Amino acid sequence: MKKKEVIGQFGEGLKVGALALVREGRMVTMETCKDRWRFDIRHHDEFGVKVLTVCATERLMDETSEENAFFTEVPFPPCPVKDLCVNDTCTTISSVQPSEWKEHVCRFLFLIPPKEFVETEMGRLILDEELSGQLYVKGIWVADFREDELSAGVDFLNLEIDRDRRAIPRPAEIDHHVSFMWIKAVEKRPELAKKCFGLMQNSRYRDVKHTIQYATRDFCMLIEKEFKIQHPGDIFAVSNQSSQQDLNVIKNELQRQVVLCNETLLQVLYKSGKHVSLQEAINKHRVISEAKVVYVDLSDDERNVLEHAVALTRIAEPTFQSSQIDIIDTANFENIAWYGQMLHVPKWMFNIGFVHQMGKLCPDGSSQCKCREWLIAVQFLFLRQDKIKRPQQRLAGFSGRLPPSFDQPLVYLLSQLAHQVCEKAPPYCEKLHQGQVLDYKATHADCGEREKLKNEKIFELEKRIQDDATKFSDNFKDLEHRLSLAQRELMEREITHVDKEDVLKERYEDQMERVKKETKTIAEQLQKDVREREKDVQKLHDDMETYIQQRKDAEKTLEEREQAWERREETHLDELTHYVEQLKSRNKKLVEIFQEHVDTATNTKTKQQYEALLKLCGTLTEELQKDRMMCLVCCKERRTMIFKPCGHYCVCENCANKIAKMEKANKKCPVCKVSIKNKDMIMTVFE
């Protein structure tokens, strides 16, 4: 069998199994309501070796007939089923020990049905502990997937298997089927949500690996309900791949408990609509909890701290402006962070007490502490590293003298401050202390009012954006739900097509059985007619015996010649295939050589020549394909004929003769549809 899809479709498994059992010394018999068969190993005169032999006889035939001579040597065992119906077949295997029966009985669900299972469109999901990880097809065992982390047992209604009873689909396809069956089982029996949730919590089980692709809204709600039961309280589901920084944000900013989930469970929870991603939760929380502080509402000390921090930052990054800063009043002790195009500075950083609680860098006896300015400036520099270019240019010459992990902005900042301390350069904040200090509140009262209105509008817009994002999220989830329903409908249609295929197959088998019966009736009638004429034929038997023997010898000689021609034809075909493969290999090497010349060619003309050669090699590769050697009409025999006048070499001899015998209107070339005037225009290419 050269095609894998037809392997196991013609009873090879039955023959191999019977051969193995007979070799072990067991008697294997099969009975229907009319026939009975027995398998044996006997010597075959033509092959000269022992082969598997099936001895068949009628079930109710006369025990004294010649056809029953085999069963008189070895008695036929009694059939354990007394009344066999038309479609019944009883198979008997002798010498089966109780231990062997106990080992193999579990492989047939119709002998010992499972205790707990759920029927779905694709088959049964088996929940018995002793059958976990077992794969069945129509109640017959196929494989053990316990080591491959399959938790439940499954009995598929339809699954393609080969003659060795191995599942032809890839393991991933089986995982998809099992995940779909789990969803259907939970929808039918909601109490199974607890078991399914337990499998989803553990990433190693393949049963539920693809549930998110087929999960319905009802299934997701049941899993989310079980999640709430297992994790009561104000909890937040997050991926088990989340960083420690994300976990700290959930605990400190959102003030919620963390539950780590794998990606499959997390996506199911999101699809239920009861959970949101970390970024969505943070954005929503910040819109509600954070309030922007108007610049004019800052105290003189706070403005002074901010202006010194900005001036300190400009030493390393001169393009930095205070207009890129928003002051946020929040209860959380969070760091400075980007929010869109703005840097959000929490107001607690202006409180000297809070800053000193975290660390005090100012020397004892100093007239004024600069810890706040230092802390804010360091975080500014850290967040704007990608925009700082001058320090990298200035420090390029010292790259071999500095540690590999040094912070360039801080090194540059340190060098500038060292010059200022030694009075080699003016203080970085000299401009802040020149002239008279302005009354900010009096001078910028109208600006402050406008800033308040602007911030209120920004807050309103952010809230509206958050509401729109929530709305779009709900719409997206609704679209996901519709997509899931469409996928489920598609799956149900496929199952319906499979069921229709089974019905058609059964009808075909019934028709074939009816045709066999009619054929058998006709054959019996013909046999009766033959017996009536045997007396007349007997008179001519003696005269015809010599002629018959000569004819047999001639037929045998002819058969041997035909076999020799067939072997010769097969040899020629193998040689031709071998030469084609050699040509393919050489052509492939030429393609690689020409491609290399094309890639390295500097001369345009030379490159065009090699590209033309590559094109010819591609054409030769197409011409060497195997299907170009087979007949275009039957696709079974080798092409041996060529049509004239068009010259197309496309059909075998049998198909060419059929086309030649057609009516004039249909007698055309299969390729170009040119009319063939007569049979003489068809000639053999290979003899």
Side-chain angles (χ1 to χ4, degrees):
M1 297 283 181
K2 294 184 179 180
K3 294 185 178 180
K4 188 174 182 181
E5 60 268 17
V6 301
I7 294 177
Q9 304 297 320
F10 302 100
E12 293 94 337
L14 172 64
K15 300 169 188 174
V16 173
L19 179 62
L21 291 170
V22 172
R23 283 180 174 176
E24 288 186 352
R26 306 176 191 270
M27 180 184 294
V28 182
T29 59
M30 298 179 67
E31 289 191 54
T32 65
C33 62
K34 295 183 179 181
D35 304 320
R36 54 183 183 180
W37 310 334
R38 181 180 173 203
F39 295 88
D40 192 18
I41 298 178
R42 291 190 172 187
H43 186 273
H44 196 284
D45 295 335
E46 183 176 352
F47 297 113
V49 294
K50 290 185 177 181
V51 298
L52 180 67
T53 305
V54 182
C55 303
T57 182
E58 294 184 4
R59 192 164 184 259
L60 301 176
M61 70 184 310
D62 185 3
E63 296 293 335
T64 60
S65 62
E66 290 184 4
E67 292 84 356
N68 201 35
F70 171 76
F71 296 102
T72 58
E73 299 174 5
V74 181
F76 198 93
C79 180
V81 182
K82 294 183 179 180
D83 299 324
L84 291 173
C85 299
V86 176
N87 296 325
D88 292 342
T89 300
C90 176
T91 303
T92 306
I93 304 173
S94 64
S95 305
V96 178
Q97 301 300 321
S99 59
E100 295 174 323
W101 174 256
K102 184 178 180 180
E103 178 183 356
H104 292 88
V105 70
C106 61
R107 300 195 172 189
F108 304 94
L109 295 181
F110 52 82
L111 296 177
I112 301 181
K115 299 176 183 178
E116 186 179 3
F117 61 89
V118 181
E119 292 280 358
T120 68
E121 294 90 335
M122 303 192 70
R124 291 185 292 180
L125 185 70
I126 304 172
L127 303 175
D128 291 359
E129 187 67 27
E130 58 273 13
L131 297 179
S132 64
Q134 305 304 310
L135 177 63
Y136 296 85
V137 177
K138 295 182 179 179
I140 301 177
W141 183 85
V142 174
D144 185 354
F145 283 130
R146 283 178 296 183
E147 294 183 359
D148 295 330
E149 307 300 344
L150 184 66
S151 174
V154 287
D155 179 20
F156 289 115
L157 289 176
N158 292 285
L159 186 70
E160 190 176 2
I161 57 177
D162 59 17
R163 61 184 173 191
D164 299 321
R165 296 204 63 78
R166 288 194 300 263
I168 291 178
R170 296 187 299 272
E173 297 180 16
I174 296 176
D175 295 346
H176 278 273
H177 296 337
V178 178
S179 298
F180 179 80
M181 293 172 73
W182 263 110
I183 293 172
K184 292 299 182 181
V186 171
E187 290 179 347
K188 282 189 175 182
R189 293 175 51 184
E191 67 272 13
L192 293 177
K194 182 176 181 180
K195 184 175 179 63
C196 185
F197 176 77
L199 297 176
M200 296 179 70
Q201 278 187 309
N202 196 330
S203 302
R204 68 188 183 93
Y205 288 114
R206 53 191 291 188
D207 304 49
V208 293
K209 187 181 297 184
H210 303 285
T211 49
I212 188 60
Q213 300 183 28
Y214 309 103
T216 61
R217 190 68 176 270
D218 295 338
F219 171 81
C220 294
M221 292 298 293
L222 290 170
I223 296 299
E224 198 278 333
K225 182 178 179 181
E226 188 61 34
F227 179 81
K228 286 290 187 183
I229 295 174
Q230 297 289 337
H231 303 286
D234 189 14
I235 51 88
F236 190 86
V238 69
S239 172
N240 52 14
Q241 304 295 326
S242 300
S243 63
Q244 186 61 41
Q245 182 180 358
D246 292 339
L247 300 180
N248 292 336
V249 169
I250 297 171
K251 292 179 181 178
N252 300 329
E253 184 173 348
L254 301 182
Q255 299 294 318
R256 299 176 70 177
Q257 299 179 6
V258 177
V259 175
L260 299 178
C261 305
N262 58 49
E263 193 62 27
T264 301
L265 178 58
L266 192 64
Q267 292 300 324
V268 170
L269 294 177
Y270 288 164
K271 199 169 184 178
S272 69
K274 301 292 185 179
H275 296 260
V276 296
S277 65
L278 176 59
Q279 191 60 45
E280 292 178 11
I282 292 174
N283 293 341
K284 187 175 182 180
H285 175 76
R286 286 181 175 176
V287 169
I288 298 173
S289 62
E290 292 183 351
K292 293 181 181 179
V293 179
V294 181
Y295 187 76
V296 295
D297 289 341
L298 295 175
S299 64
D300 292 341
D301 179 61
E302 291 171 340
R303 285 197 299 274
N304 185 53
V305 170
L306 182 60
E307 290 175 353
H308 276 77
V310 171
L312 194 61
T313 305
R314 285 177 181 170
I315 296 176
E317 204 237 307
T319 62
F320 185 65
Q321 300 291 333
S322 58
S323 60
Q324 300 170 334
I325 300 171
D326 279 335
I327 310 300
I328 304 300
D329 190 4
T330 176
N332 300 317
F333 286 88
E334 57 189 49
N335 293 325
I336 300 174
W338 283 107
Y339 193 81
Q341 300 295 325
M342 304 296 291
L343 285 169
H344 280 194
V345 180
K347 194 175 180 181
W348 69 267
M349 288 188 174
F350 296 94
N351 190 311
I352 191 64
F354 290 153
V355 174
H356 279 174
Q357 286 180 10
M358 297 186 176
K360 186 176 182 182
L361 296 177
C362 54
D364 295 335
S366 59
S367 59
Q368 188 176 2
C369 173
K370 293 295 182 182
C371 291
R372 294 173 293 176
E373 292 86 338
W374 168 84
L375 178 61
I376 295 173
V378 167
Q379 294 202 19
F380 282 163
L381 292 173
F382 176 76
L383 293 173
R384 294 177 61 84
Q385 290 185 55
D386 58 328
K387 303 183 184 301
I388 300 174
K389 299 180 180 179
R390 191 173 69 176
Q392 296 177 2
Q393 297 172 357
R394 294 276 185 97
L395 295 173
F398 296 95
S399 59
R401 305 294 180 179
L402 296 173
S405 60
F406 70 94
D407 193 324
Q408 293 184 353
L410 290 181
V411 170
Y412 188 81
L413 184 63
L414 179 63
S415 67
Q416 295 297 311
L417 292 178
H419 283 75
Q420 296 175 20
V421 170
C422 297
E423 298 182 354
K424 298 296 183 181
Y428 71 93
C429 57
E430 181 180 13
K431 294 182 180 180
L432 299 177
H433 300 285
Q434 292 176 353
Q436 185 179 0
V437 179
L438 298 176
D439 186 356
Y440 292 100
K441 290 189 177 180
T443 306
H444 301 289
D446 57 338
C447 294
E449 187 63 27
R450 291 180 182 179
E451 188 175 359
K452 284 184 180 180
L453 294 175
K454 181 196 71 171
N455 288 339
E456 290 176 0
K457 189 172 182 180
I458 290 174
F459 179 80
E460 181 182 351
L461 290 174
E462 287 178 344
K463 188 175 181 181
R464 188 183 301 173
I465 290 172
Q466 186 64 34
D467 294 339
D468 291 342
T470 304
K471 181 180 178 181
F472 292 148
S473 177
D474 294 338
N475 292 338
F476 178 72
K477 291 175 182 177
D478 182 59
L479 291 175
E480 280 188 331
H481 177 62
R482 293 181 182 180
L483 178 61
S484 175
L485 293 178
Q487 290 175 342
R488 182 173 63 178
E489 183 179 356
L490 180 61
M491 180 70 72
E492 291 174 352
R493 288 182 179 179
E494 290 179 356
I495 295 171
T496 303
H497 291 328
V498 173
D499 294 339
K500 290 181 178 179
E501 183 180 354
D502 292 340
V503 172
L504 293 175
K505 185 177 180 181
E506 291 178 0
R507 291 179 181 176
Y508 172 76
E509 291 177 351
D510 293 340
Q511 292 178 357
M512 289 299 296
E513 186 68 26
R514 186 165 57 254
V515 171
K516 287 180 181 178
K517 291 180 180 179
E518 294 175 356
T519 304
K520 186 176 181 181
T521 303
I522 295 173
E524 291 175 352
Q525 183 63 37
L526 292 174
Q527 189 175 7
K528 184 178 180 181
D529 295 340
V530 169
R531 290 195 188 101
E532 292 177 354
R533 299 178 184 274
E534 280 183 353
K535 294 180 181 179
D536 299 334
V537 175
Q538 186 65 33
K539 296 179 181 179
L540 302 174
H541 181 269
D542 295 337
D543 298 335
M544 292 293 294
E545 187 174 2
T546 303
Y547 171 76
I548 290 173
Q549 185 62 38
Q550 292 176 353
R551 183 177 178 180
K552 285 183 179 180
D553 294 338
E555 289 177 350
K556 186 175 180 179
T557 302
L558 180 61
E559 183 178 359
E560 289 175 353
R561 290 181 179 179
E562 288 178 352
Q563 291 177 355
W565 277 108
E566 289 178 357
R567 288 194 296 269
R568 182 180 178 184
E569 184 178 356
E570 290 177 357
T571 302
H572 289 165
L573 184 59
D574 291 341
E575 290 178 354
L576 179 60
T577 305
H578 175 70
Y579 293 146
V580 168
E581 292 298 325
Q582 284 187 339
L583 285 175
K584 286 182 179 179
S585 176
R586 294 174 181 176
N587 188 57
K588 183 178 179 181
K589 292 179 179 179
L590 287 175
V591 168
E592 293 175 354
I593 294 171
F594 292 155
Q595 185 63 48
E596 181 179 357
H597 283 291
V598 168
D599 295 338
T600 57
T602 57
N603 189 342
T604 304
K605 183 176 181 181
T606 304
K607 186 175 182 180
Q608 291 177 351
Q609 291 176 350
Y610 283 115
E611 287 177 348
L613 291 173
L614 272 177
K615 186 175 180 181
L616 289 175
C617 290
T619 305
L620 181 58
T621 301
E622 294 178 358
E623 293 295 331
L624 291 175
Q625 296 300 319
K626 184 177 179 181
D627 55 357
R628 293 182 175 271
M629 299 172 58
M630 305 306 292
C631 176
L632 285 181
V633 180
C634 65
C635 298
K636 295 180 180 179
E637 300 294 331
R638 181 167 57 85
R639 301 180 185 181
T640 57
M641 307 297 290
I642 186 170
F643 285 131
K644 289 185 177 180
C646 62
H648 282 118
Y649 168 61
C650 56
V651 296
C652 63
E653 183 177 1
N654 292 334
C655 295
N657 292 333
K658 291 180 181 179
I659 294 174
K661 294 178 181 179
M662 291 181 179
E663 297 178 1
K664 185 176 182 180
N666 297 328
K667 190 162 55 175
K668 297 179 179 180
C669 173
V671 178
C672 62
K673 307 302 181 183
V674 173
S675 298
I676 301 171
K677 296 182 180 180
N678 52 51
K679 190 178 179 181
D680 295 336
M681 291 186 180
I682 305 174
M683 59 180 246
T684 305
V685 176
F686 297 107
E687 290 293 344

